Amino acid sequence: MKAAIFKGRNTIEVGERPDPQIQEPTDAVVRVVRGCVCGSDLWYYRGINQHKVGSIGHEYIGVIEAVGADVTTVAVGDFVIAPFTYNDGTCPACRDGFQSNCVHGGAFGNGDVDGGQGETVRAPFADATLVKVPGTEGDFTDEQLASFTALSDVMCTGYHAAVSAGVKEGDTVAVVGDGAVGLSAVLAARMLGASRVIALSRNPARQVVAKEFGATDIVEARGDDAVQEVLRVTDDAGVDAALECVGTDQSIQTCAGIVRAGGMIGAVGVPLYEEFEYQTLFWKNVGIKGGVAPARQYIPELLEDVLAGRINPGRVFDFTTDLDHVADAYAAMDERRAIKSLLTITR
Amino acid sequence: MKAAIFKGRNTIEVGERPDPQIQEPTDAVVRVVRGCVCGSDLWYYRGINQHKVGSIGHEYIGVIEAVGADVTTVAVGDFVIAPFTYNDGTCPACRDGFQSNCVHGGAFGNGDVDGGQGETVRAPFADATLVKVPGTEGDFTDEQLASFTALSDVMCTGYHAAVSAGVKEGDTVAVVGDGAVGLSAVLAARMLGASRVIALSRNPARQVVAKEFGATDIVEARGDDAVQEVLRVTDDAGVDAALECVGTDQSIQTCAGIVRAGGMIGAVGVPLYEEFEYQTLFWKNVGIKGGVAPARQYIPELLEDVLAGRINPGRVFDFTTDLDHVADAYAAMDERRAIKSLLTITR
């Protein structure tokens, strides 16, 4: 099959991979319809984080082509959304709704299991992992297909920031980070009832999406200036929740500076910082929670919102190409010409 | 007036202080009936944390002797509980229920305001700070007076650990730290509905109190061994919440090791550690929240529980003496002969 191949820093090429096969009776093989590029893929691309040479990508939707003997709840021909991590559905973490911490789970695209930037993927624990979309590919608009793809990771990750911070009716929330996750977090905060959402962004295109997603305020400053500006617009009260969607020292310090006493930081930016001055939070009674989003837990409810037309998370995709041009998809994001790149994949 | 005077490491003496006077129209002057020694006082005593030479102690109950012109909700003769921090009751933090972060607030006993280990205290913002007990000193047993004193700090701090961790009905909770705060946290976890509370303690006297307070399991191991033991007794699932009531590197690492994916650490041990590897928590989707307890927020509800006989938090006091013997009160705790020392103060 044809697939994107990560060959090292700044090098993504289209190449050949063995066709994925059923290996375990709980597997399914999925023909990919849409894939996309994640902000974390960019970190591999830029050489900031390590990635194996080979298959890449962990977000996809597609049609099941084969299932193992033990698969019972999904079937050949089903149109499905894959969360970016697979999970067995039975371990304590899965039962608690944290499938991304499944003891037998793993992530697509950076190891033994092929990624979503290719024609076909083997999905382990298909019953527990895949979420069926009612209908077939042809029943949906491109906009809907983009939104289904967003549920594979980015929308669920933004949602996880807001859920982890306990965002509730009437809250004032700030979102630090205007990438696709940050924008999704703006939408998520509004879904959970925030009456005011302050988006930190100095990029006009991203500001537009932030406002579409419900941001009530835009703050263009960064670092200490951003802290002062958020405090100013909240009459020195600070925000009930800060959603950390970057993962750098500066972004976490910004969050710590703008949260009110007793507030929460919802943290989903993969931490690039080694250590963290928890004392700053302790003396303010501020909490921090987050991590790798249990997308599998959120997809069913968010899918209902997409199908009902209440949310349009696929709006974060502003660059679309095909698998042959996957290198362009990376370059557009790397050069910040695109918020997030969608891949239309046909075989 | 007579008061305990901190004179430096290992030196607490009884001495004279000027009688506290009304300085602001919102002040009250309180004659102390019971004071006590906090675990954090011990850290000053041991030279681990810095303390000014002078008045000490931040936990007390007493009778109002004088009020300023603007005080309206409490009056001379009222029997009151003082939270360990005073607060104005009007700033954003106070309105959000985090009075310990009041922008005009402060702590008793380590600066401009005298402490609770003395005959009299000036209480700033008396209306907002002090909580009236219905009745007079003579209406209550020694056991009740001890429990009122526990509400000044230790019980509220243990409660804050459990509240911050979001402990709820049916949870499995572990409490790291068997000091008076840790024991109070055991009681608090049960009050909030935890069905299982694992107390980490190797001290027989403290184990007895932990069990009285509702601990269902005792784990005597420490460090990595404690982690393994808690995982063993929870069938490798870990606990929903770990309550951190120590503040050392080892105790926070123990908490991080025993919490289940997606669980919470409620942290009230004043952090002695400089930095903290948040990555450990991030990858497990574990959150951490806590800080300096807003005792003022919790006292009214906990007072009702004490008055109704539902809880007896004063049980943490197992050494009682008078102000003249305050040095013995410190020594008993320093030498771990006592969990917590109560001071009966008469003038």
Side-chain angles (χ1 to χ4, degrees), chain A residues 8 20 75 84 172 174 214 222 236 258 260 272 277 290 316-317 330-331:
Chain A
F84 64 101
T172 294
R222 285 196 188 162
D236 283 331
I258 62 181
R260 69 162 169 84
L272 290 177
E277 286 179 32
V316 295
F317 294 108
Y330 277 77

Side-chain angles (χ1 to χ4, degrees), chain A residues 96 98 100-101 160 260-264 267-271 273 275-276 278-279 282-285 287-292, chain B residues 96 98 100-101 160 260-264 267 269-271 273 275-276 278-279 282-285 287-292:
Chain A
D96 287 331
F98 288 88
S100 44
N101 296 108
H160 189 51
R260 69 162 169 84
M264 279 295 292
V268 296
V270 175
Y273 46 84
E275 286 176 319
F276 175 63
Y278 175 64
Q279 293 226 8
F282 184 90
W283 296 107
K284 278 180 75 174
N285 269 298
I288 182 167
K289 189 167 198 287
V292 180
Chain B
D96 287 331
F98 288 88
S100 44
N101 297 107
H160 189 51
R260 68 162 170 84
M264 279 296 291
V270 176
Y273 45 85
E275 287 176 321
F276 175 61
Y278 175 64
Q279 293 227 7
F282 184 90
W283 295 108
K284 278 180 76 174
N285 270 296
I288 181 167
K289 190 167 196 286
V292 180

Side-chain angles (χ1 to χ4, degrees), chain B:
Chain B
M1 69 158 179
K2 193 159 69 175
I5 309 289
F6 176 82
K7 294 207 164 174
R9 190 170 168 182
N10 290 338
T11 313
I12 296 282
E13 294 178 2
V14 181
E16 280 295 318
R17 292 273 304 163
D19 284 330
Q21 307 289 336
I22 300 292
Q23 294 179 17
E24 301 290 336
T26 48
D27 286 348
V29 170
V30 180
R31 175 177 61 79
V32 176
V33 169
R34 293 286 186 280
C36 60
V37 181
C38 183
S40 62
D41 292 333
L42 264 197
W43 289 4
Y44 304 130
Y45 184 78
R46 291 173 178 166
I48 296 169
N49 284 347
Q50 294 304 305
H51 192 287
K52 293 183 184 173
V53 170
S55 177
I56 188 168
H58 50 261
E59 299 157 286
Y60 66 96
I61 62 174
V63 178
I64 295 180
E65 289 204 323
V67 294
D70 293 348
V71 173
T72 59
T73 62
V74 290
V76 171
D78 281 354
F79 186 39
V80 295
I81 301 172
F84 64 100
T85 56
Y86 55 86
N87 62 280
D88 69 10
T90 57
C91 80
C94 286
R95 291 199 306 270
D96 287 331
F98 288 88
Q99 294 90 339
S100 44
N101 297 107
C102 174
V103 293
H104 301 114
F108 290 100
N110 188 9
D112 299 332
V113 178
D114 277 280
Q117 296 164 14
E119 288 179 334
T120 330
V121 176
R122 177 176 73 90
F125 307 115
D127 284 327
T129 300
L130 302 172
V131 180
K132 189 175 166 178
V133 180
T136 61
E137 179 187 346
D139 296 336
F140 302 104
T141 64
D142 280 342
E143 190 176 60
Q144 286 175 306
L145 295 175
S147 283
F148 298 155
T149 312
L151 298 191
S152 187
D153 178 346
V154 63
M155 180 60 205
C156 290
T157 296
Y159 197 69
H160 189 51
V163 169
S164 299
V167 172
K168 61 184 190 311
E169 203 67 31
D171 273 359
T172 294
V173 175
V175 178
V176 177
D178 66 354
V181 170
L183 296 170
S184 300
V186 169
L187 178 57
R190 292 291 280 186
M191 291 171 72
L192 294 174
S195 53
R196 191 171 183 191
V197 179
I198 303 164
L200 275 67
S201 173
R202 52 177 58 179
N203 178 310
R206 294 165 193 232
Q207 291 175 0
V208 168
V209 180
K211 286 179 183 167
E212 276 184 41
F213 278 178
T216 53
D217 301 65
I218 302 285
V219 164
E220 296 200 340
R222 284 195 189 162
D224 288 343
D225 291 343
V227 172
Q228 295 312 314
E229 182 63 9
V230 172
L231 292 177
R232 193 187 67 76
V233 300
T234 56
D235 297 328
D236 284 329
V239 298
D240 299 301
L243 307 186
E244 203 297 295
C245 303
V246 184
T248 60
D249 270 321
Q250 186 184 64
S251 61
I252 194 79
Q253 293 306 333
T254 300
C255 288
I258 62 180
V259 183
R260 68 162 170 84
M264 279 296 291
I265 298 173
V268 295
V270 176
L272 290 178
Y273 45 85
E274 290 286 312
E275 287 176 321
F276 175 61
E277 286 178 32
Y278 175 64
Q279 293 227 7
T280 315
L281 303 191
F282 184 90
W283 295 108
K284 278 180 76 174
N285 270 296
V286 167
I288 181 167
K289 190 167 196 286
V292 180
R296 180 59 182 81
Q297 182 69 10
Y298 300 135
I299 292 172
E301 63 186 276
L302 297 177
L303 175 58
E304 296 216 357
D305 289 323
V306 170
L307 291 171
R310 286 188 289 269
I311 60 171
N312 184 19
R315 183 65 182 80
V316 294
F317 295 109
D318 56 353
F319 183 94
T320 302
T321 187
D322 58 20
L323 191 52
D324 289 330
H325 297 86
V326 64
D328 296 340
Y330 277 78
M333 286 173 66
D334 183 46
E335 295 159 14
R336 287 180 72 86
R337 286 182 281 114
I339 301 172
K340 191 171 174 75
S341 299
L342 185 69
L343 296 172
T344 302
I345 299 180
T346 50
R347 189 189 52 195

Side-chain angles (χ1 to χ4, degrees), chain A residues 223-312:
Chain A
D224 288 343
D225 291 342
V227 172
Q228 295 312 314
E229 182 63 10
V230 172
L231 292 177
R232 193 188 65 77
V233 301
T234 56
D235 297 329
D236 283 331
V239 297
D240 299 301
L243 307 186
E244 202 296 296
C245 303
V246 184
T248 60
D249 271 321
Q250 186 184 64
S251 62
I252 194 79
Q253 293 306 331
T254 299
C255 287
I258 62 181
V259 183
R260 69 162 169 84
M264 279 295 292
I265 298 173
V268 296
V270 175
L272 290 177
Y273 46 84
E274 289 285 313
E275 286 176 319
F276 175 63
E277 286 179 32
Y278 175 64
Q279 293 226 8
T280 314
L281 303 191
F282 184 90
W283 296 107
K284 278 180 75 174
N285 269 298
V286 167
I288 182 167
K289 189 167 198 287
V292 180
R296 181 59 183 83
Q297 182 70 10
Y298 300 134
I299 292 172
E301 63 187 275
L302 296 177
L303 176 57
E304 295 217 357
D305 289 324
V306 170
L307 291 171
R310 286 188 290 269
I311 60 171
N312 183 18

